[in-house]
Amino acid sequence: MKLVDELSPQILIERRMHEVIALGTYEAAYLFSEEGLPMAKAKHDDREESPLLEISMALRGIREVVEQLTGGSSLREIVVDARTKRVVFRFFRAFEQEVTLVVVVPRGKSYRQQTNRLQRTIAAFGLR
């Protein structure tokens, strides 16, 4: 059996994602690299990740435009609020690049506290 320190950051991040899904805060969570490559994911259904990847890459471009319009202010998060759920796109640095964390949140659930914790977890692994 491997020690926790020997497990890859991907496995540890996915474990944390699964914990948040088990709490009912998320339906799914994905981490994409700067190039759009999947780095980690957790979901409780057969949800396809490629549409979320395409949206996150498009939003990355929108983020750059917004940052130019606001004089370089960093856009941290974009939330798509639909009737039955929210999709949150969180942008931050980890693993020496800009990454995108995408979480699918059921309607009526608070997500910020768990998303902030997950972001700190990912950023901490990115420093190793």
Side-chain angles (χ1 to χ4, degrees), residues 23-73:
L23 291 171
T25 305
Y26 299 160
E27 290 182 4
Y30 304 90
L31 181 65
F32 297 112
S33 73
E34 200 167 61
E35 296 84 24
L37 299 172
M39 298 175 75
K41 66 181 173 183
K43 55 189 178 173
H44 70 76
D45 59 16
D46 293 333
R47 184 181 320 269
E48 178 61 40
E49 69 193 52
S50 58
L52 292 173
L53 168 60
E54 291 172 26
I55 293 168
S56 72
M57 295 305 287
L59 290 177
R60 188 176 292 279
I62 292 169
R63 177 183 180 219
E64 291 172 9
V65 171
V66 170
E67 288 176 354
Q68 289 173 357
L69 292 172
T70 59
S73 266

Side-chain angles (χ1 to χ4, degrees), residues 59 78-89 103 105-109 111:
L59 290 177
I78 296 174
V79 179
V80 177
D81 196 357
R83 259 189 205 136
T84 59
K85 54 194 78 187
R86 284 178 278 178
V87 182
V88 179
F89 298 85
V103 298
V105 182
R107 194 74 174 145
K109 294 288 185 173
Y111 69 90

